[in-house]
Amino acid sequence: YATMLDQQAGNCAICELPVHGCAELDHMRSRGKGGDDSDANQQFLHRRCHKVKHGREIHPRTISLEASA
């Protein structure tokens, strides 16, 4: 996950503010709509940004960025 976060310069893909310590992994194109689990189809988001994107309460996979460094 470190490479993916580096590509985002350590920032949330939506608000572009830093994701300090913990972020949620989001599928840009959902698996239900043909997306896959490749790095190219995933991005890190703040929890609030992820909820706003989906417009509903969700239970995504939360990734500790400290462990991936």
Side-chain angles (χ1 to χ4, degrees):
Y1 298 115
T3 301
M4 195 181 331
L5 190 61
D6 286 343
Q7 290 173 347
Q8 290 182 218
N11 297 326
C12 172
I14 290 182
C15 71
E16 299 182 355
L17 294 173
V19 291
H20 298 289
C22 202
E24 294 183 353
L25 192 57
D26 172 63
H27 288 85
M28 292 180 270
R29 181 178 179 135
S30 71
R31 288 178 288 176
K33 293 183 179 178
D36 59 24
D37 290 330
S38 69
D39 286 354
N41 187 47
Q42 297 183 72
Q43 59 189 352
F44 284 108
L45 305 176
H46 291 116
R47 172 168 279 181
R48 182 177 185 284
C49 292
H50 200 178
K51 288 181 179 181
V52 168
K53 176 187 174 191
H54 291 283
R56 58 184 162 71
E57 184 68 25
I58 56 174
H59 302 283
R61 184 169 53 161
T62 300
I63 304 296
S64 171
L65 300 177
E66 301 301 323
S68 66

